[in-house]
Amino acid sequence: MSNEMISSTADTNILPVSESGEIVFERVSKSFTTNTNPAVDQVSVKIPAGDLVVLLGPSGCGKTTLLKMVNRLYEPDSGKIWMGGKEIHTLPVNELRRQIGYVIQQVGLFPHMTIQKNISIVPHLLGWEEKQIIDRLEMLMQLIGLPVSYLPRYPRQLSGGEQQRVGLARALAADPEILLMDEPFAAVDAINRERLQSELIDLHGKLNKTILFVTHDVEEAFRLATKIIVMRAGKLVQYGTPLELVTQPENEFIEDLLGSSNILRKLSLVNVNSILKARKNQSIFTGGSQPVERPGTVLHPEDDLRSVVSLLLCSGRDSLPVKDSENHLLGTVGYSDLREMLISNLPSE
Amino acid sequence: MNYLVNNFDVVAKLFLQHLQLTLAVIFFSLLIGIPLGLLLARVRWLRGPVMSVLGIIYTIPSLSFFVLLIPLFGLGTRPAIIALTAYAQLLLIRNWLVGLTTIEPAVLEAARGMGLNGWQRFWQIEFPLALPMLLAGIRLVALSSIGIGTIAAFINAGGLGVLLFQGVITANYDKIFTGALAVTVLSFAANYFIRYLEQRAEFRIYGKRI
């Protein structure tokens, strides 16, 4: 946590963030009777409201255990967990769970219920009015990109990717501040996984929810995360932005995890957006005239730096403009940024 | 067929008695079996001992079981219902337990994580998902009770067994044939009716008849 605030993430949140989405773990430990070593060992970490924080680590490192203690599927042996300034054990357990969206790898849609019933189950439990639920359903279907005509269908009639989208809609149904996602895309095929990841990034940008996301997939973690918590053997090893992890790995374990000796792999883990965010002055042009636009020579915030290198090489330029999906110029990124990032570590603030 | 035509009211009365006996057995079996099965689904270590006891009960020959109960409950339908209900537990609970324990764990975890309490999880998730297996169990109970129930006529429980016993004693083959036919009709009807319910419950979950 020492280098927690190297880059300011505040500028990414334009919407006011309600603090009720903040999660704080305070010296949380949990052991299972089947194992002598604690599954989670004295973890203290603060998840700011509105961030997408990824819990990353090898299987058995305690990341899922930590996640499941937030909605009390597991109870900590010691320590406290705060949600929006409230200790979670001060709430009745089912009331707490209805305030938290929960998405799991196997989706767990109820096979005997239509999509509509699956999604509206928590709003019903909370006593929403029928009209309000119908409106919410339409909004959610639009959000996850499925037609409203899917509502009367059954889960078995949907593909795996569609089912996981419905799982997400179900978790978002009662508009929770916090979303817990336990390896949600691990069972989806590669093409769909990438699509779901991009959609999640989009969705996170739109909804501004706090998302705690568990994965063992390093690429996935770096793709999605505002910040990453790396865990090993129940302990928190490092907590930082993707760029911080790549440029300032805490120890050899992190370096091995990221494959830091391989510079191209390292580049592939960080995207253009992290560079833009990390750069202190957001001056739009780093000098020179703006190049004539040609297809393939524009960078997007979600492009990883490895593809930036290839685009730079192909274009023959020293730097390229970065544009968002609405074609707004966000800045430029070039060789100098890569050099700065890889050779000299970024200056800490 | 003469017997059936000439004594239709008698046969109808015995048929209804037999149906009543079967329905009573199903009712009491469910009353005991549903909570007991639920308990076994939750408390794993109880399964072995309880299922063995039910297995032992099931092996008691029916006629001796009926006769053994006479000192305790007298003659009539009471001992018959008790014995048949005791037999039924093995068939019912085994199916119900399979239904409950084969629900996908992810479904139950999702339900828990979403904040459904125990009662809501049972009625909205577990019960409908285990229902096809429960109905399969009920079907077995119905069929075995109809079959073994004929022997219950020996201890004065009435039912279609009366025709069989009387027919054998008086060497009236027409009567035997009528009794056997009526029991078969009842069995087939029960089988098809419950199978229909089963398929409806399956259809809701799987979308096809399996």
Side-chain angles (χ1 to χ4, degrees):
Chain A
M1 283 241 283
S2 54
N3 47 8
E4 188 191 324
M5 290 304 287
I6 286 183
S7 75
S8 156
T9 50
D11 55 347
T12 59
N13 299 325
I14 306 132
L15 295 164
V17 176
S18 76
E19 287 305 310
S20 52
E22 185 187 71
I23 309 168
V24 180
F25 295 89
E26 189 189 321
R27 299 164 67 81
V28 173
S29 294
K30 167 81 182 169
S31 297
F32 291 106
T33 44
T34 47
N35 200 329
T36 45
N37 298 322
V40 170
D41 194 1
Q42 298 279 329
V43 170
S44 295
V45 68
K46 182 172 160 181
I47 319 278
D51 272 8
L52 198 170
V53 174
V54 172
L55 285 161
L56 176 66
S59 53
C61 71
K63 53 193 192 301
T64 295
T65 309
L66 191 67
L67 182 92
K68 286 186 178 178
M69 283 192 279
V70 178
N71 63 357
R72 289 181 61 188
L73 289 175
Y74 293 147
E75 296 291 357
D77 297 336
S78 65
K80 289 196 159 80
I81 301 167
W82 307 80
M83 204 181 91
K86 237 186 190 170
E87 216 289 325
I88 58 170
H89 291 84
T90 57
L91 278 173
V93 61
N94 287 315
E95 209 171 294
L96 173 85
R97 288 174 182 163
R98 289 168 198 175
Q99 290 176 22
I100 300 173
Y102 186 47
V103 183
I104 54 178
Q105 182 185 329
Q106 307 87 341
V107 197
L109 292 180
F110 306 134
H112 58 300
M113 293 184 187
T114 59
I115 304 307
Q116 166 154 2
K117 270 191 132 182
N118 263 287
I119 298 178
S120 54
I121 204 156
V122 176
H124 271 302
L125 290 177
L126 294 172
W128 286 22
E129 279 174 32
E130 210 55 41
K131 168 94 178 65
Q132 198 185 357
I133 293 177
I134 298 291
D135 289 347
R136 183 78 188 156
L137 277 166
E138 279 175 18
M139 188 282 224
L140 286 166
M141 291 304 271
Q142 201 178 5
L143 192 72
I144 58 169
L146 291 181
V148 182
S149 63
Y150 272 41
L151 286 174
R153 295 198 189 176
Y154 283 86
R156 59 178 177 268
Q157 296 168 302
L158 272 57
S159 72
E162 288 169 339
Q163 288 187 19
Q164 194 52 276
R165 285 186 180 84
V166 173
L168 188 59
R170 184 173 68 172
L172 290 168
D175 205 13
E177 295 285 343
I178 291 170
L179 207 52
L180 304 178
M181 306 184 79
D182 190 1
E183 308 221 19
F185 308 143
V188 182
D189 64 273
I191 297 168
N192 263 304
R193 191 184 314 140
E194 262 190 42
R195 196 177 304 157
L196 284 164
Q197 286 167 351
S198 323
E199 285 174 13
L200 183 67
I201 296 169
D202 264 16
L203 212 109
H204 177 244
K206 275 186 225 160
L207 299 179
N208 222 59
K209 309 246 178 241
T210 310
I211 301 178
L212 201 53
F213 188 108
V214 165
T215 186
H216 61 262
D217 179 343
V218 178
E219 277 80 14
E220 181 170 71
F222 276 78
R223 218 170 149 216
L224 298 174
T226 323
K227 281 183 162 184
I228 296 174
I229 296 171
V230 182
M231 287 185 71
R232 181 200 196 183
K235 287 201 163 65
L236 186 150
V237 184
Q238 191 170 359
Y239 180 32
T241 63
L243 193 59
E244 284 163 19
L245 257 62
V246 167
T247 56
Q248 298 161 317
E250 191 86 13
N251 56 25
E252 262 180 41
F253 173 71
I254 306 268
E255 281 181 42
D256 287 348
L257 191 72
L258 311 186
S260 292
S261 56
N262 182 341
I263 213 142
L264 283 176
R265 164 149 169 101
K266 224 166 140 180
L267 285 171
S268 72
L269 292 175
V270 181
N271 62 23
V272 171
N273 205 25
S274 341
I275 292 275
L276 292 178
K277 273 195 276 177
R279 202 187 287 156
K280 250 186 112 182
N281 64 12
Q282 288 254 345
S283 63
I284 289 182
F285 302 106
T286 49
S289 61
Q290 197 191 342
V292 184
E293 223 175 276
R294 275 189 311 193
T297 57
V298 174
L299 302 174
H300 302 286
E302 65 275 12
D303 287 343
D304 65 72
L305 296 186
R306 187 177 164 160
S307 36
V308 171
V309 171
S310 97
L311 287 170
L312 281 167
L313 289 170
C314 288
S315 68
R317 292 196 174 77
D318 285 338
S319 66
L320 288 169
V322 183
K323 291 191 172 183
D324 65 13
S325 49
E326 271 117 52
N327 221 27
H328 296 307
L329 192 61
L330 299 173
T332 61
V333 166
Y335 288 121
S336 56
D337 298 294
L338 304 180
R339 222 170 8 243
E340 189 187 357
M341 183 195 123
L342 295 169
I343 296 165
S344 62
N345 287 342
L346 280 174
S348 350
E349 292 162 88
Chain B
M1 286 304 250
N2 275 339
Y3 182 84
L4 177 62
V5 177
N6 298 332
N7 302 277
F8 188 79
D9 51 338
V10 176
V11 177
K13 195 190 100 201
L14 293 174
F15 189 92
L16 279 180
Q17 260 180 15
H18 210 103
L19 182 64
Q20 270 173 0
L21 178 74
T22 308
L23 289 175
V25 171
I26 292 174
F27 175 77
F28 289 111
S29 311
L30 289 173
L31 210 61
I32 301 166
I34 286 194
L36 188 54
L38 211 52
L39 179 72
L40 296 189
R42 304 273 190 270
V43 190
R44 188 179 281 264
W45 63 267
L46 268 175
R47 283 179 209 171
V50 171
M51 293 316 282
S52 349
V53 170
L54 295 180
I56 291 165
I57 292 175
Y58 196 73
T59 56
I60 304 173
S62 49
L63 193 56
S64 39
F65 200 0
F66 289 137
V67 174
L68 280 171
L69 290 175
I70 294 174
L72 294 168
F73 303 101
L75 288 166
T77 48
R78 257 206 332 178
I81 290 172
I82 290 167
L84 290 173
T85 303
Y87 284 138
Q89 291 311 310
L90 181 72
L91 305 171
L92 187 73
I93 291 181
R94 204 169 48 190
N95 276 271
W96 175 226
L97 193 58
V98 168
L100 286 172
T101 50
T102 51
I103 296 173
E104 209 190 320
V107 166
L108 293 176
E109 193 191 324
R112 229 153 72 83
M114 288 164 70
L116 275 77
N117 63 34
W119 191 246
Q120 290 159 340
R121 285 204 299 275
F122 176 71
W123 277 116
Q124 297 187 31
I125 314 295
E126 292 181 281
F127 185 76
L129 289 179
L131 187 59
M133 282 309 288
L134 178 66
L135 284 166
I138 292 174
R139 191 159 54 93
L140 292 177
V141 168
L143 297 183
S144 79
S145 298
I146 291 168
I148 307 171
T150 53
I151 299 167
F154 189 76
I155 55 163
N156 239 353
L160 292 163
V162 171
L163 296 178
L164 300 177
F165 279 110
Q166 286 177 357
V168 169
I169 291 164
T170 59
N172 183 342
Y173 289 106
D174 207 9
K175 208 167 179 177
I176 295 173
F177 180 74
T178 304
L181 184 73
V183 171
T184 311
V185 168
L186 184 58
S187 290
F188 271 60
N191 185 45
Y192 277 96
F193 176 64
I194 305 174
R195 183 79 192 108
Y196 167 74
L197 296 180
E198 237 175 286
Q199 283 177 336
R200 277 187 47 154
E202 280 166 3
F203 187 79
R204 212 150 76 100
I205 303 168
Y206 307 108
K208 56 181 189 297
R209 296 180 178 204
I210 55 168

